[in-house]
Amino acid sequence: MQVIASIFDMQSTAEDLRSKDRLIGLVPTMGALHEGHLSLIRLAKERADTVIVSIFVNPTQFGANEDFASYHRDLPRDVELCEKAGADLVFAPTAEEIYPKGYSTYVTEESISKTLCGISRPSHFRGVTTIVAKLFNIIRPDLAVFGQKDAQQGAVIKKMVNDLHFCVDIVVAPTVREPDGLAMSSRNRNLTATQRTEALAIFQALHKAKEMVDGGVYNADRLIAEATHHMGERRRVRVIYTSIVDRGTMEAVREVLPGKAMMAIAAWVDEVRLIDNILL
Ligand code: AMP
């Protein structure tokens, strides 16, 4: 498995692939790979000839007091998992390569990134759009796969691609869950057994809302009240937001239009910040 660290090498390798008419699929990740990431790689492999996985813990998408320094890093293990899942190449640059001294250019999406996680993490999506725009420019993939688990990120990227005329198809893949429903996340490894049990309340709250919608309850306030009540019974869970939003704009809606809305939750489980969502 080829692992490329330099931008120049990545550009020339991608150029070479394009000259051979290979369809390039990109899966951007921050490493600490789990089955959710691997499902994106497999989906990319179904749709593209060559799958490139980027592994980069992107400093600009972390706030000052967030977990950038402690974010789990294990490149050899991640490369092995990428290979097993069918990836062809890993792009793993250093932070200095991506943001050299004096770096000063950023990409900002100014609508979708303001709601939900944008409120509690005001510079997060600027970091995401900047790194994804850079990856698109370096690799020029034909398609890129993102996970529904980070639904707002997917919507922001789609908007950026549309607004800035990137020639890349954005594919959003379903959320992969643990058998009991907890959404897989690189941050789950930071949960103790007790926290892990309490974290399940997030999925249960989403699941409850989905059941209510299927039973004919469309009022957002009622659904949110039920979901927050459920999580409120867990001592270690502190809800950051529970919202019902339009899937495209991420703006809050008062009534669920089935097929158009989703419930999104962000919560602290002690010091671990988790997000999840469910399509309604
Ligand atoms: P991350 O490494 O957390 O930045 O995530 C990299 C990509 O994997 C993003 O597109 C995420 O949405 C996606 N992803 C993370 N967790 C899951 C999951 N449980 N199921 C599907 N995709 C996921």
Side-chain angles (χ1 to χ4, degrees), residues 181-213:
L182 182 72
M184 289 196 183
S185 162
S186 304
R187 292 185 169 99
N188 290 353
R189 63 171 63 238
N190 301 329
L191 298 168
T192 63
T194 315
Q195 291 166 342
R196 167 72 181 70
T197 308
E198 300 242 315
L200 191 56
I202 299 169
F203 170 71
Q204 288 167 341
L206 293 168
H207 185 67
K208 175 81 193 160
K210 171 79 177 134
E211 275 183 348
M212 287 173 73
V213 171

Side-chain angles (χ1 to χ4, degrees), residues 27-40 54 56 61 71 124 128 145-151 153-154 171-178 182-188 275-276:
V27 180
T29 80
M30 297 205 298
L33 301 184
H34 50 68
E35 196 50 43
H37 298 111
L38 305 184
S39 75
L40 308 189
S54 61
F56 180 64
Q61 70 188 70
Y71 201 86
H124 172 67
V128 170
V145 187
F146 294 85
Q148 173 63 28
K149 151 95 166 28
D150 299 85
Q153 169 172 282
V171 179
V172 176
T175 302
V176 176
R177 299 180 178 282
E178 299 289 353
L182 182 72
M184 289 196 183
S185 162
S186 304
R187 292 185 169 99
N188 290 353
I275 58 170
D276 198 357

Side-chain angles (χ1 to χ4, degrees), residues 15-279:
E15 185 60 49
D16 188 47
L17 290 165
R18 262 192 307 282
S19 73
K20 293 177 180 141
D21 285 333
R22 305 274 298 177
L23 267 187
I24 302 176
L26 170 66
V27 180
T29 80
M30 297 205 298
L33 301 184
H34 50 68
E35 196 50 43
H37 298 111
L38 305 184
S39 75
L40 308 189
I41 297 172
R42 291 188 203 105
L43 182 61
K45 194 66 187 173
E46 282 172 23
R47 309 231 180 145
D49 302 315
T50 300
V51 173
I52 301 175
V53 179
S54 61
I55 298 179
F56 180 64
V57 185
N58 177 35
T60 60
Q61 70 188 70
F62 289 80
N65 299 316
E66 294 181 0
D67 55 352
F68 173 70
S70 62
Y71 201 86
H72 187 77
R73 291 160 171 90
D74 186 348
L75 188 60
R77 172 189 171 272
D78 287 343
V79 169
E80 205 178 306
L81 288 173
C82 287
E83 187 161 26
K84 279 195 192 136
D88 299 283
L89 203 156
V90 167
F91 178 46
T94 61
E96 295 72 37
E97 179 83 356
I98 295 290
Y99 301 109
K101 201 168 177 306
Y103 185 85
S104 61
T105 303
Y106 294 88
V107 177
T108 55
E109 191 287 324
E110 301 197 345
S111 172
I112 300 168
S113 36
K114 300 272 196 224
T115 65
L116 303 178
C117 285
I119 296 170
S120 47
R121 305 184 78 192
S123 58
H124 172 67
F125 289 111
R126 179 180 90 139
V128 170
T129 41
T130 299
I131 186 62
V132 173
K134 278 168 153 284
L135 292 169
F136 287 175
N137 282 331
I138 294 165
I139 297 168
R140 293 175 53 202
D142 297 282
L143 61 95
V145 187
F146 294 85
Q148 173 63 28
K149 151 95 166 28
D150 299 85
Q152 187 177 16
Q153 169 172 282
V156 168
I157 297 296
K158 279 185 185 167
K159 188 69 170 39
M160 176 190 81
V161 163
N162 193 54
D163 285 351
L164 297 184
H165 319 291
F166 281 102
C167 282
V168 54
D169 281 338
I170 302 301
V171 179
V172 176
T175 302
V176 176
R177 299 180 178 282
E178 299 289 353
D180 61 4
L182 182 72
M184 289 196 183
S185 162
S186 304
R187 292 185 169 99
N188 290 353
R189 63 171 63 238
N190 301 329
L191 298 168
T192 63
T194 315
Q195 291 166 342
R196 167 72 181 70
T197 308
E198 300 242 315
L200 191 56
I202 299 169
F203 170 71
Q204 288 167 341
L206 293 168
H207 185 67
K208 175 81 193 160
K210 171 79 177 134
E211 275 183 348
M212 287 173 73
V213 171
D214 291 345
V217 180
Y218 298 132
N219 180 270
D221 283 345
R222 270 193 68 191
L223 297 163
I224 291 167
E226 190 65 34
T228 40
H229 174 71
H230 182 78
M231 289 183 285
E233 291 181 340
R234 299 293 187 161
R235 208 165 56 82
R236 296 170 186 278
V237 178
R238 279 166 295 135
V239 177
I240 302 165
Y241 63 75
T242 303
S243 296
I244 296 183
V245 296
D246 176 274
R247 295 179 196 177
T249 63
M250 298 291 142
E251 270 169 26
V253 296
R254 304 186 71 134
E255 289 286 315
V256 169
L257 254 178
K260 297 241 182 292
M262 67 169 206
M263 178 180 269
I265 293 175
W268 290 103
V269 181
D270 289 332
E271 72 286 2
V272 184
R273 190 185 192 279
L274 298 177
I275 58 170
D276 198 357
N277 64 80
I278 200 161
L279 301 177

